[in-house]
Amino acid sequence: MAVPGITEDELALIRSVVLLRFIRRILDRDARILEESGVLKSPELYTGIIRGAERRASLVQHEIMAEFQKRRIKFLRLTQDEHGIEAEYLCRGYGGAIKMLWPVLRSEISSRIRAYLGSGSTSFPETPLSEPTMI
């Protein structure tokens, strides 16, 4: 649904809030699994990194919610089915909705989680590097 006068920036804010909800849940779940697994020798090292990413995502979400208040945007409901999700919102009194398909969501969530973890989009080589030369 198109909302009269809504800007691309406002739609991006709404989309970000939806993504951040998923990101925070995923990071929390992953940290809990690492903490409870008993498999790692030092799980606190890894969970600390994940919890830091979770805090960064939380801060961004709070900033966006403050921007929502300024722009009179209210997040109403999030529904999901086998195709993707639909987020309903109010913007200056007008109701609207955005839909996102699962493949797009997964890709965007993965990219943003990398950024919050601090690895950005850097990919690591799949082949081992050559041995260092001794001098």
Side-chain angles (χ1 to χ4, degrees):
M1 273 180 255
V3 171
I6 194 164
T7 67
E8 288 298 318
D9 285 346
E10 291 167 335
L11 287 172
L13 289 173
I14 294 164
R15 180 182 174 90
S16 287
V17 164
V18 171
L19 293 169
L20 285 163
R21 284 179 166 215
F22 282 97
I23 288 167
R24 290 183 64 200
R25 273 192 229 140
I26 290 166
L27 291 170
D28 179 60
R29 178 186 158 276
D30 289 353
R32 279 187 288 110
I33 288 171
L34 284 175
E35 289 166 346
E36 296 167 0
S37 72
V39 176
L40 300 173
K41 196 83 150 170
S42 303
E44 63 279 352
L45 297 173
Y46 303 100
T47 57
I49 293 168
I50 294 171
R51 295 291 182 199
E54 191 177 1
R55 282 189 300 276
R56 285 186 285 283
S58 178
L59 286 171
V60 170
Q61 188 174 11
H62 287 293
E63 289 172 1
I64 292 172
M65 297 311 288
E67 193 64 29
F68 269 24
Q69 287 182 335
K70 289 179 192 172
R71 295 174 185 237
R72 295 180 36 218
I73 300 172
K74 185 173 183 177
F75 187 81
L76 296 177
R77 180 181 15 220
L78 182 67
T79 55
Q80 57 189 67
D81 61 21
E82 67 274 0
H83 303 291
I85 60 100
E86 180 176 38
E88 297 175 35
Y89 60 89
L90 285 175
C91 182
R92 292 178 288 282
Y94 292 97
I98 59 171
K99 295 180 182 184
M100 291 182 258
L101 299 175
W102 287 119
V104 174
L105 274 167
R106 283 187 199 100
S107 175
E108 184 69 21
I109 287 170
S110 178
S111 173
R112 288 187 183 209
I113 286 177
R114 278 189 187 89
Y116 290 123
L117 288 170
S119 65
S121 62
T122 304
S123 60
F124 296 99
E126 293 180 23
T127 55
L129 298 174
S130 60
E131 290 294 317
T133 307
M134 299 300 261
I135 299 178

